[in-house]
Amino acid sequence: MQGNHSRKAMRWSKLLRTAILVRDDFTCIYCNAPATQVDHVIPWEVGGPSRQNNGVAACRSCNQRKHSKLDPRFLIAAFSYLRDIDEDLAFLDDPRWESYLFLEDFI
């Protein structure tokens, strides 16, 4: 692992994972297939954070194919998509939400 990343930090919170999937209409931004996973655009293994502006919906196949690579084909698609979306989930990064994260267990 690079830096001080912990295994837990790599995972998406249920709230953020659900918000990203909803934002992206449960559609893989790489191939338009149904998405069930959230991909780190900049891989966690190289320092990419688990934040809304580094996450996109992905199908299992694309997420596994990309894995932790900085593949330009995936990066261009993801950066173009994130640049063009209107909805911003930055409010989920606000620490005041932490007291409500127990609600994730009910999502």
Side-chain angles (χ1 to χ4, degrees):
M1 286 188 268
Q2 182 174 342
N4 62 359
H5 280 31
S6 70
R7 200 81 175 124
K8 186 174 183 178
M10 179 180 90
R11 290 185 245 141
W12 298 101
S13 73
K14 289 180 185 177
L15 179 64
L16 186 53
R17 180 182 179 282
T18 300
I20 290 170
L21 288 169
V22 168
R23 178 197 69 193
D24 298 347
D25 199 27
F26 290 86
T27 302
C28 178
I29 66 111
Y30 302 120
C31 73
N32 293 319
T36 57
Q37 300 181 356
V38 174
D39 175 47
H40 284 88
V41 175
I42 302 297
W44 174 82
E45 289 84 352
V46 296
S50 294
R51 295 194 176 263
Q52 52 84 24
N53 61 355
N54 191 44
V56 293
C59 67
R60 182 180 175 119
S61 176
C62 286
N63 202 14
Q64 287 180 336
R65 193 168 46 238
K66 178 181 174 277
H67 188 53
S68 61
K69 297 178 220 133
L70 289 169
D71 185 321
R73 295 170 297 170
F74 288 105
L75 290 174
I76 290 168
F79 288 142
S80 296
Y81 174 78
L82 288 170
R83 182 193 65 223
D84 293 340
I85 60 173
D86 295 327
E87 191 170 8
D88 184 12
L89 301 177
F91 69 92
L92 291 173
D93 292 332
D94 188 318
R96 292 175 290 182
W97 276 100
E98 289 181 23
S99 61
Y100 298 99
L101 292 180
F102 73 93
L103 295 172
E104 292 178 329
D105 296 334
F106 301 102
I107 296 175

